Amino acid sequence: MDSDFPNKALTATRFSELNPPLSEPVLKALSESGFEFCTPVQAATIPLLCSFRDVAVDAATGSGKTLAFVVPLVEILRRSSSHSKPHQVLGIIISPTRELSSQIYHVAQPFISTLSNMTSVLLVGGVEVKADMKKIEEEGANILIGTPGRLYDIMDRMDVLDFKSLEILILDEADRLLDMGFQKQITSIICRLPKLRRTGIFSATQTEAVEELSKAGLRNPVRVEVRAEAKPSTDAVSSQQLASSKTPSGLHIEYIECEADKKPSQLIDILIKNRSKKIIIYFMTCACVDYWGVALTRLSVLKGFSLIPLHGKMKQTVREKALASFTSLSNGILLCTDVAARGLDIPGVDCVVQYDPPQDPNVFIHRVGRTARLGKEGHAIVFLLPKEESYVEFLRIRRVPLQERRCSDDGSDVVPQIREAAKKDRDVMEKGLRAFVSYVRAYKEHHCSYIFRWKELEIGKLAMGYGLLQLPSMPEVKHHSLSTEGFVPVEDINLEDIKYRDKYREKQRKKNLQAKKEAKEKQAKTQKPSKNPIAAATRKKTAKQRRAQQTVEDEDELMREYRLLKKLKKGTIDESEYAKLTGTEELL
Ligand code: ADP
Ligand code: MG
């Protein structure tokens, strides 16, 4: 346990004093894990679920919600454990990401193992579904813990599973599970479950909407809301505000307002000043994580720093390794997307940097909640462009108080160094371009589009901030005359000449270029001297017709995709590049 005991995040209520009382084996498992006193959310929730009430729980990040559902789930199932059959599913816990499901599975094991005769399975994507099916077939499954996609897949494929006796369903990070992205899968799962059961939904950003609750199938739920306590007012923010803060009381959140071209230098300054700290940096898209994960390692000032990228488009084994190594580090940097925003309980995170604010403002609370867990202190910094400043007021109204952090004058401009790295390695150059394009596209999808005004994005400064060598010609820029001010192209270079540092890749590229050249020459020889005027006219006409059908808003999107498609046909880009450049499911 912590040395700062009694921990201010705990109540004076012991687990052994709860009513209805917990079973001996669970109490033993709790004390063996070092848990003696309940957190407020545990003291409030465990007795309710154990006495057959449905709950909708809204409590800050790091307040101990996992045990608040794992303990009652195990207690409820203890009553049926003696007569359960191997393929009778009695409990289900659903969470939005593979990493979180795996974490819950591991937290639950010591408690589940107190039940005789019960098996639990972890069901997440990224591994062969057949392997999961075989395991369930052979070993049985009484408790399912997993992500919606894989869970539903298994329910759909395996008739052998019997859900008629299901006792309890838990949705962790429920607001995320019930939003658009997962709604269909969750509804399909819930439809197959008996109505007479306990249901618990948990989050740090529960929506107040009643329909959300009914979507989850809650019956007269008790709403449990636990807020961070007031901390003594030491600054301009009144204690009144902090008393009901949506974020933990030990968390100090700052915003740094700086132009897009200054962001990398400010980030490096923060990283250097926090060299011995454990830091998470959130970016907007997978491509951004891929890029900065490479670009930052090429900077001499960051030599010796552990930089670990993590996003949802990585192979599952790589994802697992990344999280495991960051977890084990005492200091280091995780570069990630929102795949690591919710629920993850990584020990000892000192600081959370949001290089890009999230599209969904609720995610802000989850990201910063990776630090200052269970009564500890923590620090978070969010980067805002000057035009995004009203986000501060927006968050304050949502009970997330932020303080200003001034831009630092220390350190030099790192953009030239990043550009140097791009010149030396085509991989850096291409990843930068991809990241930039993905960022602009993702920016369009900000939920608070009146704060994050896409049409006011200053593309020039942004491209400088990505260390791009030349400004890519994007339809966005042309059609909406986004400002290109502040961009200074690198003149003395032809992008075609930039080589991959990786010798094999470079050889491959040279080969492809040569093949393309030859094909072109061949085509030029066989092509008729004059173009067919009729075909050209038809092409023009269909293009016109297509344009007429489009709304002004999505026209540029389609134009871009059309151009990329042409490139794909010509062979200037390959299919995976095409998918990357047009992909919209980039965020996790
Ligand atoms: P939440 O889901 O609310 O974000 P978690 O359930 O992940 O929070 O718990 C946060 C941390 O607090 C975990 O490291 C967990 O082990 C620890 N914890 C939870 N309950 C207790 C308790 N009663 N006593 C001590 N530590 C606890
Ligand atoms: Mg949690």
Side-chain angles (χ1 to χ4, degrees), residues 229-247:
E229 274 179 41
K231 65 175 171 187
S233 177
T234 51
D235 39 47
V237 187
S238 76
S239 58
Q240 183 71 45
Q241 279 170 21
L242 287 169
S244 60
S245 168
K246 282 287 251 181
T247 45

Side-chain angles (χ1 to χ4, degrees), residues 65-66 172-173 343:
K65 292 186 288 294
T66 318
D172 193 20
E173 304 296 342

Side-chain angles (χ1 to χ4, degrees), residues 215-232:
K215 257 192 261 163
L218 270 73
R219 296 152 61 245
N220 296 325
V222 182
R223 286 172 189 262
V224 177
E225 191 181 353
V226 183
R227 285 283 145 242
E229 274 179 41
K231 65 175 171 187

